[in-house]
Amino acid sequence: MSISTALNAALSGLAASSRMASTVANNVSNANTEGYGVRTVVTGSIIAGGDGVGTRVVAIERNSDPILTGNRRLADADLGRASAAADFFARLEQLLGTPEDGGSLAGRLDQFESSLVTAANSPESDAALNGVVFAADAVADRLNTVADGIQIARQEADAEINTAVTLINNTLVELESLNEQLVRTRGFGGNGNALLDQQQILVDRIAEYIPVREYRDQSGRLRLFSTDGVKLLDGNPATLEFSRSSIITPEMTVGVQLGDLTIDGSTIPMSGGEPGLTGGRLRALFDVRDTYAVDAQTKLDAVARDLAERFEAPALDPTRAPTDPGLFTDQGAITDPLNELGLSQRLSVNALVDPSRGGEVFRIRDGLGAAGPGQVGDATLLQGMSDALSNGRVTVSGGFSAAERSMTVLGGELLSVFSGERQFSETNQTFSAARQQGLLEAELEQGVNTDAELQRLILIEQIYQANARVIQVVNDMLEELQRSIG
């Protein structure tokens, strides 16, 4: 090997060592940067005349594990789905209240039943009669509150869907812009690793809402699809469209009064036998709006109907005409089985017994059709009302079993159903969170290890010193040669 060859080899080693040291420093400084992929310098020999005459930097590679990242993103989507469901059912249970809570539906039914017993024992007491009206109104109010809460939950889910669609659309546009920059950068010989970091962050943003799979073509362009094959980014970003509803009522259904989801003009079914985009938070929000909340409303309406019909029995109050409402009304009218949807939101106590609306409390004792007070000691109607509340009755709608049950038992069963849904959804959420956290930790372990990077820096320093020593030796040799010639 000639002196010049040795010098060139050492110089190339210094240049490569400098690049490696710079890369290590960059890794360490980005140890906590979101989406950062560890960089590794790939070197190769400089070949001349069949021999290696130095080293060169071939590439700066960005380390990643596409399979691990893909599985973690699927876990992100699953956690988003589970969290949306768990949040809804926890909220629903809170609206109903627990049995020990006096303000819960079950608690107010108990108070209503107790007020009827008290009034039946003291039918002459206006205070006791007022207590019945107050307790009945509290039951109706709790049903109204829960029903309102269900519709608010639907409306909030609808609003979040709209926000998510905007976020996804904007993110897809950003991803395509990065695709263009990546192709240009690589076309000019750059590696584009920083652009890949940015794309990972953006894909992660979408993955919470839609389970995705990513691919790259030969030019490095990112292609993104949902796991069930819906194109999100393939040459051009897809356009998601959704129309938000400013208000939602029980009667509103998807595709008619409520907006559905379209992608590039094609409707994506988000419910039914073969729903699309299964598994992410976006789909779960549609489930909350169109399935979970609708089912909850159906059961609540069935309870409201059962309650009202117990006091509409013809034999209970002879003073009431068959077409007139009982103690509980559908906005002042008798309940109609064909108009059950939304009844829990409309249910109210009959104005005839409510002094605040011009009624008289004696009608609780003497009958809704009574023109004036009757015998103050007659507790027949009050006892009949108490029996109507406590007797077993089949709830004919809402998907309840055909077993007979009292009103308080029905209220407890409703809470039990919703509590069971909450426990099941929270179990799913816990499992999803544990799985997502495990995959995230495994992914982070492949990130920057500062201890390993500093150890690598020590090795690079030794390589640098060795090459510098070669240069020093060559320089000494050249000086000695000059002195010999001189």
Side-chain angles (χ1 to χ4, degrees):
M1 175 184 290
S2 66
I3 292 177
S4 61
T5 300
L7 181 60
N8 289 333
L11 288 171
S12 69
L14 285 179
S17 299
S18 177
R19 190 68 180 275
M20 287 188 284
S22 174
T23 301
V24 168
N26 192 42
N27 286 339
V28 173
S29 67
N30 284 283
N32 295 319
T33 300
E34 181 185 3
Y36 182 80
V38 181
R39 278 35 164 187
T40 302
V41 176
V42 179
T43 58
S45 296
I46 298 175
I47 305 298
D51 294 323
V53 292
T55 186
R56 62 189 178 91
V57 174
V58 176
I60 307 294
E61 290 187 344
R62 178 181 182 273
N63 297 339
S64 64
D65 186 338
I67 295 176
L68 178 58
T69 299
N71 287 335
R72 191 263 303 157
R73 284 174 177 158
L74 293 179
D76 288 346
D78 191 57
L79 179 58
R81 173 201 60 78
S83 296
D87 290 346
F88 170 75
F89 286 113
R91 178 177 184 172
L92 185 59
E93 185 183 45
Q94 186 177 26
L95 284 169
L96 279 176
T98 54
E100 62 272 12
D101 177 10
S104 67
L105 178 60
R108 292 189 177 185
L109 284 170
D110 284 338
Q111 292 166 14
F112 180 39
E113 187 171 7
S114 296
S115 71
L116 285 169
V117 172
T118 299
N121 290 329
S122 303
E124 75 287 353
S125 170
D126 284 348
L129 298 179
N130 271 305
V132 173
V133 175
F134 179 82
D137 190 65
V139 171
D141 180 70
R142 174 53 61 177
L143 285 167
N144 299 160
T145 299
V146 177
D148 289 343
I150 290 173
Q151 299 311 312
I152 290 172
R154 295 182 75 196
Q155 190 169 328
E156 290 177 355
D158 188 83
E160 188 177 345
I161 291 169
N162 187 68
T163 300
V165 165
T166 300
L167 180 146
I168 292 168
N169 281 332
N170 292 339
T171 304
L172 290 173
V173 171
E174 290 181 64
L175 284 170
E176 179 56 24
S177 176
L178 290 172
N179 269 343
E180 296 295 336
Q181 295 178 52
L182 185 62
V183 171
R184 287 197 302 270
T185 299
R186 289 184 171 179
F188 286 107
N191 55 51
N193 288 331
L195 298 173
L196 296 177
D197 291 341
Q198 293 179 53
Q199 284 193 325
Q200 176 166 319
I201 294 172
L202 294 177
V203 175
D204 287 349
R205 186 185 299 171
I206 293 175
E208 177 187 357
Y209 291 96
I210 301 175
V212 294
R213 294 289 191 190
E214 69 169 42
Y215 309 91
R216 290 193 183 273
D217 59 22
Q218 292 181 346
S219 68
R221 282 181 177 273
L222 175 71
R223 302 169 63 204
L224 199 64
F225 298 84
S226 72
T227 52
D228 51 3
V230 177
K231 185 197 77 171
L232 300 175
L233 180 64
D234 187 15
N236 291 308
T239 300
L240 284 68
E241 293 181 313
F242 176 78
S243 179
R244 178 184 174 184
S245 300
S246 58
I247 189 170
I248 294 181
T249 62
E251 296 79 15
M252 297 173 70
T253 58
V254 65
V256 183
Q257 301 96 333
L258 295 180
D260 49 18
L261 181 70
T262 64
I263 298 182
D264 288 338
S266 298
T267 300
I268 304 296
M270 300 300 281
S271 59
E274 296 182 358
L277 306 182
T278 302
R281 185 173 180 84
L282 183 61
R283 165 65 192 285
L285 291 171
F286 275 98
D287 286 340
V288 168
R289 191 193 70 172
D290 302 329
T291 302
Y292 303 151
V294 171
D295 291 346
Q297 181 73 52
T298 298
K299 289 189 177 301
L300 194 67
D301 289 340
V303 171
R305 174 184 171 185
D306 189 292
L307 175 64
E309 288 182 346
R310 287 172 185 266
F311 295 90
E312 291 174 349
L316 178 63
D317 180 3
T319 69
R320 183 183 69 85
T323 57
D324 290 339
L327 180 60
F328 293 95
T329 76
D330 183 352
Q331 293 182 326
I334 192 170
T335 58
D336 180 359
L338 300 180
N339 189 32
E340 182 177 330
L341 182 61
L343 176 61
S344 55
Q345 206 171 22
R346 304 188 302 267
L347 196 73
S348 63
V349 172
N350 199 316
L352 292 173
V353 302
D354 187 354
S356 67
R357 292 183 288 163
E360 299 286 351
V361 294
F362 69 76
R363 293 193 177 96
I364 285 286
R365 178 191 62 218
D366 301 322
L368 294 172
Q375 297 182 6
V376 296
D378 187 358
T380 303
L381 179 57
L382 290 168
Q383 186 59 54
M385 288 184 175
S386 179
D387 291 342
L389 200 64
S390 60
N391 288 343
R393 184 178 188 273
V394 176
T395 306
V396 296
S397 58
F400 291 96
S401 69
E404 294 185 348
R405 53 181 72 78
S406 68
M407 194 65 225
T408 53
V409 170
L410 177 60
E413 188 171 330
L414 179 67
L415 176 60
S416 178
V417 170
F418 292 162
S419 295
E421 293 283 7
R422 190 265 305 163
Q423 292 170 7
F424 178 76
S425 61
E426 286 185 351
T427 298
N428 280 340
Q429 183 185 31
T430 300
F431 174 79
S432 297
R435 179 171 177 267
Q436 189 267 355
Q437 185 62 31
L439 288 168
L440 180 60
E441 289 176 358
E443 190 177 24
L444 290 174
E445 286 176 359
Q446 295 193 345
V448 178
N449 183 326
T450 54
D451 290 338
E453 293 296 322
L454 292 176
Q455 290 174 5
R456 187 175 295 115
L457 189 59
I458 292 172
L459 178 60
I460 293 169
E461 181 184 8
Q462 292 172 351
I463 295 171
Y464 188 92
Q465 290 174 347
N467 282 285
R469 180 58 180 160
V470 170
I471 293 173
Q472 182 62 49
V473 170
V474 170
N475 182 67
D476 293 343
M477 290 173 65
L478 289 173
E479 289 181 353
E480 182 64 28
L481 183 59
Q482 287 178 342
R483 284 194 297 268
S484 298
I485 295 174

